Amino acid sequence: MARKKLNVAMIGYGFMGRAHSNAFLKANRFFDLEYEPVLKCACARNPEKLKAFADNWGWETTETDWRKVIERKDIDCIDIGSPNDTHKEIAMAAAAAGKMVLCEKPLAMNAQEGEEMTAAVEKAGVPNMVWFNYRRVPAISLAKQLVNEGRLGKVFHYRALYLQDWTISPELPQGGAGLWRLDAAVAGSGVTGDLLAHSIDTAIWLIGGIDSVTAMTETFIKERQHQVTGKKQEVTIDDACAFLARFKNGALSTFESTRYARGRKNYNTFEVNGADGSIAFNLEDPHRLKFFDNRHEAHVHGWQDILVTDFEHPYMDKYWVPGTTIGYEHTFVNAFADFLKSLEQGQEPVRPNFRDALETQYVCDAVLKSGKTGAWEKASA
Ligand code: SOE
């Protein structure tokens, strides 16, 4: 059967532009789907770099003004992979034009922007998704399955770390290509929006909503040269953040993130402790899910180390044979395949959508506020 075409335009061509382009190219090679994307248009400001990017990934056309892309009648779906300060304007215009909208995380610079964006896609009734790609790591999807199957029982604790080490040098500039994540005017925040947003999304997905938080944040390097202007300027992102959270279901938790943990590259971990079992995950060992099942007889108690590569595991029947592995890029392939599947008749809308990401944004805002006030803050509107 001929597949239905979905014309996609992508805004931005950095790290996420590559990850998304690859997902668009690969989803239909591995998944059986009614819809197939056409890589219609790539959009970014620098025409030479854009041309090279578009040629490499097979984008049919290019534009240097995103507004022109949204005006185009031949585009069904806008994918936003540009820096955080551009998300709101593009998403709102895309929704108003009746286009489907995919958006990189974090959804917005703050919850107020997120609310406007969520209202816009919901009013327009357009399919929407936020690329919290780690939900689609098979081992994390398996963790969700174990929770849904009731294997953990009542959850008491959630413990998350998201550690990196790439900003330790004071010589590293801030701002501009590849380094806008260090510039609060463009990124909105530092590790809270960039890394903890992932941890928060995973936590909410696995065990439910967060009620309130208390945080400490720090900016270790106070000034950096701006990559574009060459001028030294104040650094206003949070370099590190740790917070305590109370979940709505009564669970207690700790979250910590930094880009100053020497030796940690993309150390995204979590552990959940329930009355009947515990699970633990580390993204630097992504095919493993540790599981302690207290329902086993006491003399065989012990942590299971599940190698998540069997056909029975989430997504893994779409790839190779048991024991062989997939990579970081497949989390985006899996996410986009889920998005395409959701467009088929009778399917549930894809998650996480803008509303889910807004919930994470409320938590981020509360964390950043608490980092300043030192008080407990409610993680809601
Ligand atoms: C930052 O270094 C970063 O690239 C984040 O922006 C991504 O969301 C994360 O998945 C990996 O680290």
Side-chain angles (χ1 to χ4, degrees), residues 39-331:
L39 283 72
K40 265 287 162 200
C41 178
C43 174
R45 278 172 302 191
N46 182 313
E48 288 82 39
K49 285 188 186 164
L50 176 62
K51 170 89 176 60
F53 175 87
D55 287 349
N56 186 43
W57 290 96
W59 288 92
E60 284 181 12
T61 62
T62 58
E63 297 277 2
T64 51
D65 178 355
W66 63 261
R67 287 180 181 81
K68 291 215 175 101
V69 180
I70 288 178
E71 279 164 18
R72 275 175 59 163
K73 297 277 175 285
D74 64 341
I75 302 296
D76 305 310
C77 176
I78 301 288
D79 177 38
I80 307 170
S82 45
N84 303 348
D85 63 338
T86 65
H87 290 188
K88 179 187 147 190
E89 217 184 344
I90 301 172
M92 305 269 300
K99 318 276 189 201
M100 304 175 192
V101 196
L102 309 179
C103 186
E104 247 314 313
K105 50 56 57 177
L107 176 63
M109 299 282 278
N110 52 51
Q112 198 192 324
E113 282 195 7
E115 282 175 355
E116 291 177 50
M117 295 163 76
T118 304
V121 291
E122 289 180 354
K123 181 168 169 234
V126 291
N128 55 95
M129 180 179 84
V130 177
W131 294 89
F132 277 114
N133 59 306
Y134 294 127
R135 287 194 188 194
R136 269 76 184 196
V137 174
I140 298 185
S141 295
L142 179 63
K144 171 73 173 165
Q145 186 183 328
L146 299 187
V147 172
N148 286 357
E149 288 168 352
R151 290 173 191 269
L152 267 51
K154 180 175 167 48
V155 172
F156 298 113
H157 291 290
Y158 195 94
R159 220 165 282 112
L161 296 174
Y162 202 144
L163 313 178
Q164 299 184 339
D165 73 352
W166 59 281
T167 65
I168 295 177
S169 167
E171 308 311 321
L172 187 75
Q174 63 171 318
L179 292 172
W180 58 263
R181 285 175 178 79
L182 277 72
D183 183 354
V186 178
S189 68
V191 295
T192 299
D194 192 37
L195 303 181
L196 283 172
H198 280 300
S199 306
I200 296 163
D201 174 71
T202 306
I204 294 176
W205 188 50
L206 289 180
I207 71 160
I210 292 176
D211 175 73
S212 48
V213 298
T214 184
M216 60 179 177
T217 53
E218 184 55 75
T219 305
F220 294 119
I221 301 209
K222 309 289 184 203
E223 283 193 325
R224 291 183 187 271
Q225 195 172 37
H226 197 282
Q227 192 178 207
V228 179
T229 63
K231 291 206 184 96
K232 273 234 167 192
Q233 67 184 52
E234 192 187 352
V235 177
T236 56
I237 57 160
D238 42 310
D239 284 337
C241 173
F243 72 94
L244 306 179
R246 286 185 182 278
F247 280 74
K248 290 176 184 163
N249 62 11
L252 298 188
S253 77
T254 61
F255 290 77
E256 185 196 347
S257 184
T258 180
R259 294 178 179 135
Y260 288 70
R262 182 63 86 201
R264 300 297 186 195
K265 302 301 170 183
N266 204 28
Y267 192 79
N268 172 4
T269 73
F270 64 83
E271 178 166 313
V272 191
N273 307 127
D276 299 330
S278 291
I279 47 179
F281 172 80
N282 173 5
L283 186 66
E284 288 185 353
D285 193 7
H287 298 99
R288 302 268 174 191
L289 185 69
K290 310 276 203 265
F291 175 43
F292 183 94
D293 188 348
N294 199 51
R295 290 178 302 187
H296 287 153
E297 294 163 88
H299 66 291
V300 289
H301 270 166
W303 282 85
Q304 287 173 244
D305 189 2
I306 308 173
L307 180 65
V308 189
T309 61
D310 276 5
F311 295 138
E312 288 73 17
H313 290 137
Y315 301 107
M316 293 309 292
D317 61 331
K318 302 293 182 296
Y319 293 98
W320 321 115
V321 296
T324 56
T325 54
I326 61 172
Y328 170 76
E329 70 273 34
H330 296 93
T331 62

Side-chain angles (χ1 to χ4, degrees), residues 318-364:
K318 302 293 182 296
Y319 293 98
W320 321 115
V321 296
T324 56
T325 54
I326 61 172
Y328 170 76
E329 70 273 34
H330 296 93
T331 62
F332 293 89
V333 177
N334 296 344
F336 188 62
D338 286 345
F339 174 74
L340 290 182
K341 190 84 202 159
S342 76
L343 303 180
E344 295 177 12
Q345 187 129 35
Q347 298 291 327
E348 290 283 308
V350 74
R351 310 282 290 274
N353 54 22
F354 276 34
R355 185 152 290 281
D356 296 316
L358 175 59
E359 201 179 336
T360 290
Q361 197 79 55
Y362 284 131
V363 181
C364 291

